[in-house]
């Protein structure tokens, strides 16, 4: 699994990263809450570990921002704040699990694996229809409609739109789209993503009053109806 760890204690963070890497996981370890929030907004993770008391932005605020953006990746809070009230705060804020420090690494690993299994089970549920406002994308019929009007999309345009709709409120970078749609590693010289996004917009946005696909300068693209 790919795991994000927010932990400002360098000794503990290094210990967690080393242990999880040895267990076969890919780990991004960050010490600043603002950087962690940017990472979960622009990249995909299977599980996120959040310390509560971190510089820049505390872990609980990172978690609340994630849930407000409909980011449902499983989150485990790791904190020295381990009394009942603090654990309830964390769970009420949207965490899936809460582990008080100090802890045994075997217990941390077991809890992460449990969250990963739960996430994979949910991901296996068959989704037929994706929607954003008045736009509908039928994944089984391979049909796109907006305000009841059929919109013809080619294979790449359909997949681009599907990825954006599967991640509402989450920025999809050019590198992510290149990899998911064209199976290409990031190439700063190619404009294939911009070209296809432009064509997609001409079909699903331009003929209508409301714009669904938004460009986030320097980051990527997002379908966000909360503006």
């Amino acid at each position: 699994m790919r795991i994000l760890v927010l932990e400002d204690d360098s000794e503990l963070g290094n210990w967690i990263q080393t242990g999880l890497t040895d267990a076969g996981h890919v780990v991004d370890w960050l010490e600043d809450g603002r950087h962690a929030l940017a990472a979960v907004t622009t990249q995909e993770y299977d599980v996120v570990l959040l310390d509560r008391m971190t510089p820049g932005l505390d872990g609980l605020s990172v978690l609340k921002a994630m849930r407000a953006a409909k980011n449902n990746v499983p989150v485990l809070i790791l904190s020295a704040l381990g009394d009942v009230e603090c654990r309830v705060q964390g769970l009420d804020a949207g965490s899936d699990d809460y582990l008080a420090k100090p802890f045994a690494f075997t217990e941390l690993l077991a809890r992460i694996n449990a969250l990963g299994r739960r996430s994979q089970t949910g991901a296996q549920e068959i989704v037929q229809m994706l929607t954003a406002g008045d736009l509908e994308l039928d994944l089984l019929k391979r049909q796109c409609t907006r305000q009841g009007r059929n919109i013809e999309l080619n294979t790449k345009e359909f997949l681009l739109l599907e990825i954006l709709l599967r991640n509402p409120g989450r920025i999809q970078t050019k590198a992510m789209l290149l990899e998911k749609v064209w199976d290409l590693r990031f190439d700063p010289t190619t404009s294939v993503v911009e070209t296809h996004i432009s064509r997609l917009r001409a079909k699903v946005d331009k003929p209508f009053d409301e714009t669904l696909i938004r460009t986030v300068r320097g980051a990527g693209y997002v379908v966000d109806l909360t503006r």
Side-chain angles (χ1 to χ4, degrees):
M1 290 188 290
R2 187 177 184 195
I3 301 171
L4 173 68
V5 177
L6 172 61
E7 175 57 67
D8 66 332
D9 182 320
S10 58
E11 184 177 351
L12 180 58
N14 184 58
W15 180 64
I16 293 172
Q17 183 182 43
T18 300
L20 293 179
T21 302
D22 289 344
H25 300 296
V26 176
V27 180
D28 290 341
W29 168 32
L30 299 173
E31 300 180 49
D32 187 299
R34 293 169 300 186
H35 298 161
L37 181 57
V40 297
T41 302
T42 57
Q43 302 179 55
E44 293 188 357
Y45 293 96
D46 298 299
V47 175
V48 172
L49 308 186
L50 297 176
D51 184 17
R52 288 188 59 167
M53 297 180 289
T54 51
L57 191 64
D58 66 90
L60 214 56
S61 295
V62 173
L63 173 60
K64 290 177 180 177
M66 289 173 58
R67 297 313 188 217
K70 304 187 187 309
N71 184 331
N72 295 317
V73 63
V75 171
L76 188 156
I77 292 180
L78 286 172
S79 178
L81 303 175
D83 60 29
V84 173
E85 183 178 351
C86 291
R87 295 200 302 271
V88 170
Q89 283 179 346
L91 294 169
D92 282 346
S95 76
D96 300 88
D97 200 356
Y98 197 111
L99 185 58
K101 300 175 183 175
F103 54 86
F105 185 80
T106 51
E107 182 180 5
L108 172 64
L109 185 59
R111 289 176 183 243
I112 289 173
N113 288 336
L115 290 176
R117 287 194 297 273
R118 191 186 311 169
S119 176
Q120 289 169 4
T121 300
Q124 290 171 356
E125 294 179 359
I126 297 175
V127 176
Q128 177 177 351
M129 189 72 74
L130 297 172
T131 62
D134 53 10
L135 182 143
E136 294 183 342
L137 194 68
D138 191 319
L139 302 180
L140 297 184
K141 294 181 179 178
R142 310 296 293 177
Q143 188 175 62
C144 178
T145 60
R146 186 167 185 187
Q147 296 181 4
R149 294 163 55 180
N150 287 326
I151 300 174
E152 295 293 332
L153 300 178
N154 64 35
T155 302
K156 297 301 185 187
E157 293 164 352
F158 193 95
L159 185 52
L160 266 177
L161 185 58
E162 179 182 343
I163 291 169
L164 292 171
L165 294 182
R166 283 186 183 276
N167 298 277
R170 300 181 64 184
I171 298 170
Q172 300 299 296
T173 67
K174 181 178 175 180
M176 293 164 67
L177 294 173
L178 270 175
E179 183 175 336
K180 293 176 180 177
V181 178
W182 287 271
D183 196 23
L184 295 174
R185 292 188 179 275
F186 180 66
D187 177 0
T189 64
T190 182
S191 61
V192 65
V193 173
E194 291 89 339
T195 299
H196 280 74
I197 286 287
S198 177
R199 291 173 180 169
L200 183 59
R201 279 177 163 150
K203 296 180 179 181
V204 304
D205 274 342
K206 193 173 181 179
F208 303 93
D209 294 332
E210 186 179 13
T211 298
L212 298 177
I213 301 172
R214 183 164 61 93
T215 299
V216 181
R217 182 171 297 179
Y221 305 94
V222 63
V223 169
D224 185 359
L225 300 178
T226 61
R227 290 178 300 153

